[in-house]
Each structure stands twice: as C-alpha cells, then as structure tokens.
Amino acid sequence: MSLTDVLAAAFGLLALGAGIGVVTTRRIVRAGLWLAVSFAGIAGVALVLTAEFLAWVLVLVYVGAIVVLLLFATMLTRAPTEASDELDRRQLPGILIASGVGLGLAAVLTGAFGWTRVSLVGRENGDAAAMGEAIFSEWVLPFEVLSLLLLAALVGAIAVSTRDRAQQSGNSG
C-alpha cells in the first residue's frame, strides 16, 4: 500500500463518517456543518487523485456555496434549529434502504470496473483547461440544468421566507 492509497482511504473514511453525521444528527445546523466536512473529505480524495482543479471547485462551490446556502435558507425560513421529537422518523427503514443502496452501488461498480488499477502517469486529470473543455463541450446541458436547479432553490427559499413574514405580520396586526 502506498501513501496515496492510505490518504485516499483516510479522506474517504472522513467523508463517510461525516456523511453518517449528516443523517444522524438531530439539529439542522450541525447537519450543515457535517455536510461541509463531508464535502471537504471528498475534495481531499480528489486532491490525492491529482485532480487539483476539481478539488478546489469542490471546496469553493460545495463547501463555500452550497453549505452556506443551506444555512442561510435555514435562517431565512426561520426553521427550528433545535432537536425536535416530531421531526424524527423511524430509523430502521432508513438504515435498511441506505445499506441496500450502498451494497448495490458497490456491487455495480465492482462488477463494472473490477479491481483494476488505473495508471495516472501522463494523464492530465487536474488540468483546468481539459476540464473546462469537457464541461463546455460534452456536459453543457447538465451544467446549465444544475445552475437552473440552484436558482430555483434560491427563489423557493425567498418565496417561503416572504410568505411566512407576510402571514406573521397579518396575524399580529
């Protein structure tokens, strides 16, 4: 085992542990912070795999924007941030479904790729020019759909926030 394998496994375990923290915590703000740690672990894996540009995009976009958007949406909608018993769900079905999906994904990926090793010598994985060319030639439609999805989420958060404020001002007057 090389140092690269150890670092990739360590960052993967960090991302996995933080992902478990996201779904098991009972407080929404802590879930957002665990999500930031999980995204940082995934960026660490990308960095170890010599995809520097992808790693920094993950840090800037996901950790810097998505998690901040989640936290601002929580504050704008005045959602309860403390633990609540009425928001809890049964855990056993969720654990069974998550385990089944995880094992199924592992089986599909192992069946598709096996345990082959990929040589990274001579490949420009982290090259920003190659990634930009791929995004804006082969992946234009998914890139634009994602931007529209994020815009819709922001507009929805603002609409819910203003509706709640209008109802509260109407009830108090």
Side-chain angles (χ1 to χ4, degrees):
M1 243 187 170
S2 68
L3 179 63
T4 303
D5 295 335
V6 171
L7 285 174
F11 281 123
L13 288 174
L14 174 71
L16 180 65
I20 291 170
V22 169
V23 297
T24 58
T25 187
R26 297 181 64 197
R27 299 177 185 267
I28 187 75
V29 175
R30 288 185 185 169
L33 296 175
W34 278 119
L35 187 64
V37 172
S38 179
F39 285 150
I42 295 169
V45 171
L47 193 61
V48 168
L49 295 175
T50 67
E52 294 89 8
F53 180 71
L54 177 63
W56 288 116
V57 167
L58 284 167
V59 168
L60 291 174
V61 173
Y62 286 103
V63 176
I66 302 298
V67 173
V68 170
L69 179 68
L70 172 77
L71 295 175
F72 273 114
T74 303
M75 290 186 291
L76 280 173
T77 58
R78 298 180 185 179
T81 57
E82 64 275 348
S84 173
D85 289 332
E86 56 189 46
L87 296 178
D88 286 344
R89 296 186 176 102
R90 290 178 281 166
Q91 293 181 352
L92 184 61
I95 291 170
L96 292 175
I97 291 171
S99 300
V101 168
L103 290 174
L105 182 61
V108 166
L109 289 175
T110 303
F113 298 106
W115 296 104
T116 59
R117 289 186 163 260
V118 177
S119 174
L120 297 177
V121 177
R123 293 182 64 192
E124 300 294 331
N125 291 341
D127 187 18
M131 187 166 287
E133 182 180 330
I135 286 175
F136 293 113
S137 62
E138 300 172 28
W139 298 97
V140 172
L141 183 63
F143 185 75
E144 292 299 326
V145 169
L146 180 64
S147 66
L148 288 175
L149 180 67
L150 290 174
L151 177 65
L154 184 60
V155 169
I158 292 171
V160 168
S161 163
T162 56
R163 182 178 49 202
D164 287 345
R165 286 184 188 160
Q167 289 174 354
Q168 287 176 356
S169 65
N171 291 340
S172 65

